[in-house]
C-alpha cells in the first residue's frame, strides 16, 4: 500500500484506470522500487517489485475545518519482491 501526498501528477490514477478499463491490450509489466534514505541521503533499504498492477485507489478526505495533508492511497499487487 502506497500513501503519497496529492500532487499535480495523475500518473498513478491514470494507470489504475487503464488497468480497470483493460486499455493495455497487451499487459504492461510495471516494476519499481520503494527506497528508504537516511538524513544524509544514503540509501538504507530498497524494496524492488516486479510485474505490478493496481488493486485499489482511495482519494484524499477533505474537511472544511481541518488542515491535514491531502493523501492518496494506492494498493498494488506484484509478482515478486526483493529486499536489498
Amino acid at each position: 500500500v502506497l500513501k503519497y501526498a496529492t500532487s499535480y501528477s495523475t500518473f498513478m490514477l491514470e494507470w489504475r484506470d487503464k488497468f480497470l478499463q483493460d486499455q493495455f491490450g497487451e499487459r504492461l509489466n510495471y516494476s519499481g522500487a520503494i527506497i528508504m534514505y537516511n538524513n544524509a541521503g544514503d540509501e538504507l533499504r530498497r524494496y524492488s517489485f516486479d510485474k505490478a498492477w493496481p488493486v485499489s485507489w482511495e482519494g484524499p478526505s477533505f474537511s472544511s475545518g481541518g488542515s491535514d495533508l491531502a493523501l492518496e492511497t494506492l494498493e498494488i499487487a506484484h509478482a515478486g519482491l526483493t529486499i536489498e
Side-chain angles (χ1 to χ4, degrees), residues 17-72:
D17 289 346
K18 284 181 184 177
F19 188 85
L20 288 177
Q21 297 167 12
D22 198 24
Q23 293 179 358
F24 285 119
E26 185 177 311
R27 291 276 182 218
L28 299 176
N29 292 324
Y30 281 92
S31 297
I34 300 167
I35 306 167
M36 282 180 24
Y37 295 96
N38 64 15
N39 290 338
D42 302 319
E43 187 175 314
L44 294 176
R45 181 166 291 164
R46 177 182 296 256
Y47 301 88
S48 299
F49 53 88
D50 292 319
K51 299 179 184 172
W53 65 94
V55 175
S56 68
W57 174 85
E58 184 179 327
S61 299
F62 298 109
S63 171
S64 61
S67 60
D68 295 339
L69 186 63
L71 294 177
E72 295 181 39

